[in-house]
Amino acid sequence: MLKAKARESRFIPPPKLPPPTPVVDLGDAEMRLAQDLLFFAYRGFTNVADKVLEEPGLGRAHHRALHFIGRNPGITVSGLLAILRITKQSLARVLNALVDEGYVVQAPGYEDRRLRLLTLTEKGQALEAQLFDAQRERVAQAYRTAGPQAVQGFRSVMRAMMDKGARDYMDGTGSPEDA
Amino acid sequence: MLKAKARESRFIPPPKLPPPTPVVDLGDAEMRLAQDLLFFAYRGFTNVADKVLEEPGLGRAHHRALHFIGRNPGITVSGLLAILRITKQSLARVLNALVDEGYVVQAPGYEDRRLRLLTLTEKGQALEAQLFDAQRERVAQAYRTAGPQAVQGFRSVMRAMMDKGARDYMDGTGSPEDA
DNA sequence: CGTATTAAGTCAACAATACTGACCTATTTC
DNA sequence: GAAATAGGTCAGTATTGTTGACTTAATACG
């Protein structure tokens, strides 16, 4: 007597789908992690410059002025005010110290002599270079550790984190007023 | 007369090499860009919280205390001092204000009653939540704009940017003293 | 059980860095 | 020539940090 043939079990795999679009995790845990990353990373970054500032007896406000004057030689006082977003009095105290100590020089504008154009002196460039070297060490080490892909990501996130005006200023499409 | 056979010209292509390892650009321009990214991004991030702090009349130091007490309920005073890296006097002024205004409560330790364990009250949690909401908006929007790959990169770079102690503390492998 | 150590608090003075609001001079614009 | 603008100054105030000394309460230790 012929044995009944067992019905074959046939598994038909579903059509191959593309991998799911990666989604950014915006949960509270991730957001709190971001808060901590920003706090500790920025502190680490600024502390290395603080050490350099000790010897000439200057502070972070002085460093910021040196940095942005170095970045924008010939910048006007109001331009610097706009970038730093501080009052005239605040800048005056810092700027006067930098001028008095010979780090910065002021010159009247060529066309509009009301303007005060700020540039770093050689002494100022030297100090700014020390500060830059200290922070470059920290940033370069972080970039090397993280790798080029990560650096691209870091830039994208940081760009998106800042105010639009600051972004425009950094892109060169805005003016100091935008920062 | 038999014509001489032309010698064949044979081109032998070089062995196929792997593509070059992507290199991180650590040039001055990139390093200065990083300085600006860090400055403007951090400012944008902290400014959104500053606005929330206006109404209760508190400052960034108060926010940091609220944040890290919220992160570590029951933290000791010395633990908080270690994370924030400020002096007892500085913390006392901020902490006393937070306690007086009802945002933070202190309790003696169970085993060692010299310790003062800090926790947020409901009022403190509410204010911290407002601050968190403000900063979460900013971070989430940046993360969405940049995308998940970029976020991974951001985290890597920021982790590498901080002091080792802070990294250890964030990983949970270190103690507040490490931060 | 007394001494040393530790956790935390307080005090006064000072410094860095920010703001406010008013007032000033010099220069440019209209 | 008046109005507007760039920049400077002044005095007072606020926030947030440091220093160094001193205190109280609690724990550790011999």
Side-chain angles (χ1 to χ4, degrees):
Chain A
M1 182 175 160
L2 198 62
K3 192 170 180 182
K5 189 175 179 183
R7 174 171 289 173
E8 260 182 73
S9 174
R10 293 183 64 209
F11 168 72
I12 307 172
K16 209 165 172 68
L17 299 169
T21 302
V23 155
V24 189
D25 184 347
L26 304 180
D28 284 8
E30 290 303 319
M31 298 294 99
R32 289 190 178 289
L33 173 64
Q35 279 178 306
D36 291 352
L37 287 170
L38 281 150
F39 172 72
F40 289 118
Y42 194 68
R43 186 175 75 179
F45 170 74
T46 49
N47 279 356
V48 297
D50 288 344
K51 293 186 170 84
V52 177
L53 291 160
E54 274 172 27
E55 192 281 322
L58 300 175
R60 290 188 189 181
H62 300 88
H63 179 192
R64 287 194 284 273
L66 286 170
H67 173 78
F68 285 110
I69 295 172
R71 285 290 245 165
N72 308 276
I75 191 172
T76 63
V77 166
S78 58
L80 192 54
L81 283 172
I83 293 175
L84 297 176
R85 287 191 194 169
I86 59 178
T87 63
K88 270 192 296 169
Q89 166 59 18
S90 285
L91 183 61
R93 189 175 18 76
V94 165
L95 211 46
N96 283 342
L98 291 176
V99 170
D100 289 349
E101 299 299 325
Y103 297 110
V104 168
V105 74
Q106 293 181 306
Y110 304 111
E111 293 188 9
D112 185 339
R113 300 210 347 273
R114 292 176 295 176
L115 301 174
R116 292 288 171 273
L117 310 181
L118 307 168
T119 50
L120 298 186
T121 61
E122 279 192 24
K123 184 180 176 185
Q125 286 173 347
L127 176 56
E128 197 284 320
Q130 279 184 265
L131 291 156
F132 175 58
D133 283 348
Q135 293 191 315
R136 176 173 53 194
E137 275 299 304
R138 177 62 67 116
V139 172
Q141 168 270 321
Y143 275 20
R144 273 189 233 103
T145 300
Q149 301 280 348
V151 168
Q152 289 303 330
F154 161 79
R155 289 208 198 93
S156 296
V157 172
M158 296 301 264
R159 265 184 57 79
M161 191 80 70
M162 65 184 68
D163 296 340
K164 182 187 182 311
R167 206 158 33 241
D168 291 343
Y169 160 75
M170 283 189 65
D171 290 346
T173 57
S175 60
E177 281 67 36
D178 295 324
Chain B
M1 185 170 153
L2 203 62
K3 193 171 179 182
K5 190 173 178 182
R7 173 173 290 173
E8 263 180 69
S9 174
R10 293 184 63 210
F11 167 73
I12 307 172
K16 209 169 172 62
L17 299 170
T21 302
V23 155
V24 189
D25 184 347
L26 304 180
D28 284 8
E30 290 303 319
M31 299 295 98
R32 289 189 178 288
L33 173 63
Q35 280 178 305
D36 290 350
L37 288 171
L38 282 149
F39 172 72
F40 289 119
Y42 193 69
R43 187 176 75 178
F45 170 75
T46 48
N47 278 356
V48 297
D50 288 345
K51 293 187 170 82
V52 176
L53 291 160
E54 274 174 27
E55 194 281 321
L58 299 175
R60 290 187 190 182
H62 300 85
H63 180 191
R64 287 193 284 272
L66 286 170
H67 173 78
F68 285 109
I69 294 171
R71 284 290 244 166
N72 308 277
I75 191 172
T76 63
V77 167
S78 60
L80 192 55
L81 284 172
I83 292 175
L84 296 177
R85 288 192 193 167
I86 58 177
T87 63
K88 268 195 295 168
Q89 166 60 19
S90 284
L91 183 61
R93 195 173 347 84
V94 165
L95 210 45
N96 283 342
L98 292 175
V99 169
D100 289 349
E101 299 300 324
Y103 296 110
V104 168
V105 73
Q106 293 182 305
Y110 304 109
E111 293 189 9
D112 186 340
R113 302 215 342 277
R114 291 175 296 176
L115 301 174
R116 293 286 170 272
L117 309 182
L118 308 168
T119 50
L120 297 187
T121 62
E122 282 193 22
K123 184 179 175 185
Q125 285 173 346
L127 175 57
E128 198 285 320
Q130 279 185 264
L131 292 156
F132 175 60
D133 283 348
Q135 293 192 314
R136 175 173 54 193
E137 275 300 303
R138 177 62 65 117
V139 172
Q141 168 268 321
Y143 274 21
R144 275 190 232 100
T145 301
Q149 301 279 350
V151 168
Q152 290 302 332
F154 161 79
R155 288 207 199 96
S156 295
V157 171
M158 295 301 263
R159 266 184 55 80
M161 192 80 69
M162 64 184 69
D163 296 341
K164 184 190 181 308
R167 207 160 28 244
D168 291 343
Y169 160 74
M170 283 189 64
D171 290 346
T173 57
S175 60
E177 283 66 37
D178 294 326

